[in-house]
Amino acid sequence: MKILIVTAEMQLAQDIRRYLEQEDNLCELTADMNEGRSLIGQFSYDCILLDLSFYGEDGLRLLQDLRRGKGSDRVIVISAKNSLEDKVMALKAGADDYLSKPFHLAELSARFEAVTRSRFLKAATHIVFQQLKIDTASRAVYIADRDICLTKTEYELLLFLIINKGNVIAKNTIAEHLNGQSAIHPESYDIIYEHIKNLKRKLVSEGYRIKSVYGSGYKFIACV
């Protein structure tokens, strides 16, 4: 992936770039909002990481301009602010995701993959992993041509895990994906645990697992 990082916190930017480039991504950095606008206007990026901590209204205007112009660019907002109001404001302005500081670089990497893959999923009619097939048009799931009966939330959870297969997905990332802003409420995690338990039960007999990674989250894998 080609990623543009727009932040005045250059130590953080360097740490992010080192981590992401170990995963074969190409990262460009800028601390200047005007330079960021210029780069976005000249070049195409798979994803833009925009730090609203330093740019305030200018950052929000850039986000709005992106959505009016180069709508295919995916944007992840990071910020030191963690209030519901700030998250809603950024998402309404056009952000694809919102991550509050401090965060783990592994989670940021997973979110990059999720938002960029979602762009291609919109045009895809079938998602295939080994013998598991998801028909995104009919929202049907098949394993070795057997129909797997899932609830709406189980389907969304499986699709999210599939597009992030091989990565450990934090429970709060799953909660935010499924529940949006209501994920900030602690009881939302209890609901997530229940959906994961039910999906695990339906998949394990078919040769697939949702592995719990202690203290980190969940990972979708094929049974050995």
Side-chain angles (χ1 to χ4, degrees):
M1 289 190 294
K2 185 179 179 182
I3 299 165
L4 175 64
I5 302 170
V6 185
T7 178
E9 193 174 347
M10 294 312 293
Q11 182 58 57
L12 174 63
Q14 295 288 356
D15 290 343
I16 292 171
R17 178 163 69 178
R18 278 193 294 270
Y19 187 91
L20 294 178
E21 289 189 344
Q22 289 176 355
E23 300 181 337
D24 297 324
N25 298 296
L26 174 64
C27 298
E28 297 179 359
L29 312 180
T30 180
D32 184 84
M33 179 63 65
N34 291 328
E35 183 181 23
R37 283 183 178 276
S38 176
L39 290 170
I40 292 167
Q42 295 179 65
F43 305 105
S44 177
Y45 296 94
D46 294 300
C47 196
I48 298 165
L49 183 67
L50 176 61
D51 189 346
L52 290 185
S53 303
F54 303 97
Y55 306 113
E57 291 297 323
D58 287 339
L60 285 174
R61 278 194 291 270
L62 174 60
L63 192 52
Q64 292 165 344
D65 290 345
L66 273 168
R67 284 299 165 254
R68 285 194 291 265
K70 299 178 66 178
S72 63
D73 289 338
R74 290 297 188 249
V75 182
I76 296 177
V77 163
I78 59 173
S79 176
K81 297 180 179 180
N82 192 32
S83 73
L84 175 60
E85 180 182 0
D86 289 305
K87 290 182 178 181
V88 170
M89 187 180 301
L91 293 170
K92 284 187 174 181
D96 295 284
D97 203 349
Y98 187 107
L99 189 58
S100 300
K101 301 177 185 178
F103 50 79
H104 292 289
L105 294 177
E107 180 177 1
L108 177 63
S109 176
R111 296 210 186 192
F112 273 125
E113 291 197 21
V115 298
T116 53
R117 283 175 178 170
S118 69
R119 174 174 58 186
F120 301 106
L121 282 176
K122 287 182 178 179
T125 57
H126 293 89
I127 308 299
V128 179
F129 175 58
Q130 297 180 348
Q131 291 187 308
L132 189 153
K133 179 188 291 184
I134 299 176
D135 185 330
T136 58
S138 64
R139 299 173 68 86
V141 177
Y142 305 93
I143 297 179
D145 294 326
R146 293 186 301 276
D147 187 13
I148 308 300
C149 183
L150 301 179
T151 66
K152 177 180 181 296
T153 302
E154 289 167 358
Y155 170 85
E156 296 292 348
L157 174 58
L158 176 61
L159 184 60
F160 189 59
L161 291 169
I162 285 286
I163 65 175
N164 288 286
K165 60 183 180 291
N167 294 316
V168 177
I169 311 301
K171 64 180 181 181
N172 64 304
T173 302
I174 294 173
E176 288 180 8
H177 176 74
L178 295 178
N179 296 337
Q181 296 305 320
S182 63
I184 65 172
H185 302 296
E187 60 268 21
S188 69
Y189 292 128
D190 293 334
I191 299 172
I192 295 302
Y193 297 145
E194 189 65 24
H195 288 308
I196 287 175
K197 182 182 73 174
N198 292 337
L199 186 57
K200 279 183 176 182
R201 176 175 50 80
K202 293 179 180 181
L203 293 178
V204 68
S205 62
E206 302 291 342
Y208 296 92
R209 288 178 56 204
I210 301 173
K211 181 180 179 182
S212 299
V213 181
Y214 181 75
S216 298
Y218 300 93
K219 183 177 183 179
F220 182 82
I221 59 175
C223 294
V224 178

